[in-house]
Amino acid sequence: MKKITILGAAESGVGAALLAQQQGYDVFVSDKGIIKEKFRKILIENQIPFEEHQHTEAGILHSNEIIKSPGISEKEQIMQSVRLNNIPVISEIEFASRYTRSIIVAVTGTNGKSTTTSLIYHILKKAGLDVSLVGNIGKSFAKQVAERDTPYYVAEISSFQLDDCYDFKPDIAVLTNLSDNHLDRYHYQFTEYADAKLRIAQKQTANDYFIYCFDDAATKEALSRHSIFSQKVSFSQEIEILQGACLDNDNNIIFTLKNKSFSMSLFHLGLHGKHNLYNSMAAGIAAQALDIRKEIIRESLSDFQALEHRLEWISDVHEIEFINDSKATNVNSAWYAIESIAKPIIWIVGGVDKGNDYSLLTDLVRKKVKAIVCLGLDNRKIHEAFARSVDLIANTESMVDAVNTAYRLASNGDCVLLSPACASFDLFENFEDRGRQFKEAVRSL
């Protein structure tokens, strides 16, 4: 019996353990930290051996294969030992894909992944397809395959998950865009990060589709270094696109694929802002590739609601608007958020910096941001980047303090925007916790 060890006992790791057990492997789960109670309960109920607080090398290094959770860095001692022993390492996404023959739509990119993935899932559900939402949002892919293998999957996939994918082949791959993010995991080399993202298409064939943003220079540069064998389809707000999606006089999106074309008014889109227009274009093309009727695509793009923590409107307090964009964990996401807001902005920013280049925001901040409220333990880079762009930068170390400070600095008709451009781990459990605390603080005003 082949032995599989799963490193990490959260959503993806426990899902992989369930599928591995179902497929007859000798399974062991190892987590360096504390396993959350809900995951511990699943392992115990299914009689899957596990350990926590440690990685015991003696047992792990006798594995035939390792499934590594995406949050575990190659710098960890256990990973260095695994690599020295030449044990194959795969991701949960790769493992799950071995045991399904279903249609897979996979979405990656620096920004817009969750929204685009959710949009595609929404369209497929509305079309009456039996589809599961998996990956970074929704269920573990492996857990879903183990419990009920549905005919369609829509998966949000990170670069960390793609790092350990080798034979994973989505029928439709979407790359939303590329910009600096997680460079600390890629030796601060943007090309390494971009290459990881393009692994989503490495096994695709001429029968598959690769959907990308033609307007994104970083994507086009990365594509110039790779051979893509699937059908390349693009979307653009700047030029006419013959196969894909583009604008018609800034009033309509024109979708064209498989010798079929239809239009949709921008006025009827459920999501607003330049970034969400790109997301809607990508989702619409993916749906067209699956031969979903244009009426269903139009209706779905019209009635879709924004995701929690992603440009989520919270409240108007004395004519001051509050928007929660806690999921903006990098500079590019924050750029999209600031760009999409027409009002003067009080910007709440900061957290754990992942190698951010704030110069990308300088001009936009100068034009649109009245004041900056820093929310983090180390705000020096933010001060250095924007001291000449705004008149006032305040420091805070709690969400309540940040919201109260922003409220005091705002006037009627302004917008307080939480779009941190950083990870959340200095003060919060994750971006969801950060967003929830923001909403609680706003509602307490």
Side-chain angles (χ1 to χ4, degrees):
M1 185 185 292
K2 281 183 70 174
K3 179 178 180 181
I4 275 192
T5 293
I6 292 132
L7 299 180
E11 181 73 26
S12 69
V14 171
L18 290 172
L19 181 58
Q21 183 188 57
Q22 184 190 81
Q23 295 298 325
Y25 289 91
D26 175 13
V27 185
F28 179 62
V29 177
S30 175
D31 197 305
K32 190 178 178 182
I34 300 170
I35 299 175
K36 285 186 178 178
E37 189 55 40
K38 65 175 181 177
F39 296 125
R40 183 202 308 272
K41 187 179 177 187
I42 293 170
L43 294 171
I44 291 170
E45 285 176 352
N46 288 276
Q47 298 182 316
I48 297 172
F50 67 90
E51 66 175 356
E52 56 186 334
H53 305 294
Q54 62 183 334
H55 290 311
T56 306
E57 289 197 3
I60 293 169
L61 297 180
H62 283 96
S63 304
N64 299 102
E65 195 166 41
I66 302 282
I67 300 174
K68 178 171 80 73
S69 293
I72 298 174
S73 168
E74 288 288 327
K75 295 176 183 175
E76 292 278 347
Q77 179 58 52
I78 187 61
M79 287 311 301
Q80 293 184 33
S81 299
V82 165
R83 297 300 185 187
L84 277 173
N85 283 270
N86 296 314
I87 303 169
V89 178
I90 61 170
S91 68
E92 174 245 350
I93 298 294
E94 173 84 358
F95 185 65
S97 70
R98 291 178 183 173
Y99 300 102
T100 181
R101 293 293 173 263
S102 301
I103 301 292
I104 300 171
V105 183
V107 181
T108 195
T110 305
N111 300 298
K113 291 189 299 295
S114 296
T115 300
T116 302
T117 305
S118 299
L119 262 172
I120 296 168
Y121 175 70
H122 179 64
I123 298 169
L124 270 55
K125 287 285 284 185
K126 221 171 183 64
L129 300 179
D130 187 2
V131 56
S132 295
L133 181 68
V134 297
N136 273 359
I137 55 175
K139 262 189 182 176
S140 148
F141 187 14
K143 188 171 191 281
Q144 185 63 54
V145 171
E147 292 180 348
R148 191 176 75 85
D149 187 15
T150 54
Y152 292 86
Y153 289 97
V154 184
E156 179 191 323
I157 305 180
S158 70
S159 57
F160 297 166
Q161 290 165 313
L162 288 167
D163 282 334
D164 298 305
C165 282
Y166 301 93
D167 295 310
F168 172 63
K169 186 188 83 66
D171 299 87
I172 300 169
V174 180
L175 176 61
T176 56
N177 51 54
L178 289 172
S179 65
D180 292 1
N181 195 27
H182 299 302
L183 295 190
D184 48 331
R185 282 277 289 260
Y186 295 98
H187 310 102
Y188 294 92
Q189 297 297 314
F190 180 72
T191 53
E192 285 190 29
Y193 169 69
D195 291 348
K197 289 291 191 186
L198 282 176
R199 292 175 73 91
I200 198 167
Q202 65 185 347
K203 289 293 182 178
Q204 285 193 306
T205 68
N207 295 321
D208 304 315
Y209 290 91
F210 176 76
I211 300 168
Y212 71 98
C213 180
F214 189 88
D215 300 342
D216 188 53
T219 295
K220 289 196 287 188
E221 191 282 325
L223 286 173
S224 72
R225 294 183 281 104
H226 289 263
S227 296
I228 305 291
F229 298 106
S230 47
Q231 300 175 56
K232 288 196 284 187
V233 184
S234 59
F235 51 95
S236 172
Q237 296 181 35
E238 297 173 4
I239 67 162
E240 183 181 359
I241 296 288
L242 298 178
Q243 287 289 301
C246 60
L247 294 181
D248 172 24
N249 298 322
D250 294 334
N251 295 317
N252 299 293
I253 307 176
I254 307 297
F255 292 101
T256 308
L257 197 66
K258 297 183 178 181
N259 298 316
K260 294 179 182 176
S261 186
F262 73 94
S263 65
M264 177 168 182
S265 167
L266 299 187
F267 179 76
H268 292 125
L269 285 177
L271 298 178
H272 302 290
K274 186 176 181 179
H275 59 297
N276 277 324
L277 177 50
Y278 281 128
N279 298 335
S280 297
M281 286 176 160
I285 298 167
Q288 258 192 310
L290 292 170
D291 297 316
I292 290 173
R293 289 177 21 242
K294 62 186 179 183
E295 293 82 7
I296 296 290
I297 298 174
R298 280 200 198 103
E299 186 182 333
S300 303
L301 294 180
S302 294
D303 63 15
F304 183 79
Q305 301 295 310
L307 299 179
E308 187 179 17
H309 312 302
R310 192 72 187 101
L311 284 170
E312 177 192 13
W313 182 87
I314 304 305
S315 180
D316 279 321
V317 182
H318 298 127
E319 296 184 44
I320 298 165
E321 186 176 25
F322 287 81
I323 292 179
N324 168 27
D325 194 41
S326 182
K327 198 173 189 299
T329 59
N330 58 66
V331 165
N332 205 247
S333 289
W335 188 95
Y336 280 121
I338 294 168
E339 185 274 337
S340 72
I341 293 169
K343 301 176 180 180
I345 296 168
I346 311 298
W347 180 28
I348 301 177
V349 58
V352 179
D353 189 295
K354 297 183 289 185
N356 286 350
D357 178 6
Y358 291 109
S359 67
L360 300 169
L361 294 169
T362 306
D363 290 342
L364 194 63
V365 167
R366 189 178 292 119
K367 290 175 190 171
K368 305 190 77 166
V369 174
K370 275 178 59 173
I372 289 175
V373 177
C374 297
L375 175 60
L377 299 179
D378 183 0
N379 304 313
R380 286 172 298 173
K381 277 186 72 175
I382 297 169
H383 280 267
E384 290 167 3
F386 301 113
R388 296 180 182 178
S389 300
V390 296
D391 293 330
L392 182 59
I393 302 178
N395 291 319
T396 62
E397 290 188 7
S398 76
M399 185 59 78
V400 170
D401 191 11
V403 168
N404 288 336
T405 301
Y407 182 51
R408 286 196 302 271
L409 294 173
S411 307
N412 287 8
D414 289 352
C415 175
V416 174
L417 170 67
L418 171 68
S419 190
C422 296
S424 55
F425 308 124
D426 56 345
L427 296 174
F428 308 96
E429 185 177 335
N430 47 41
F431 76 82
E432 292 98 339
D433 176 40
R434 178 168 61 189
R436 283 192 291 268
Q437 287 197 35
F438 176 73
K439 292 194 276 189
E440 288 169 11
V442 170
R443 287 163 184 157
S444 297
L445 287 173

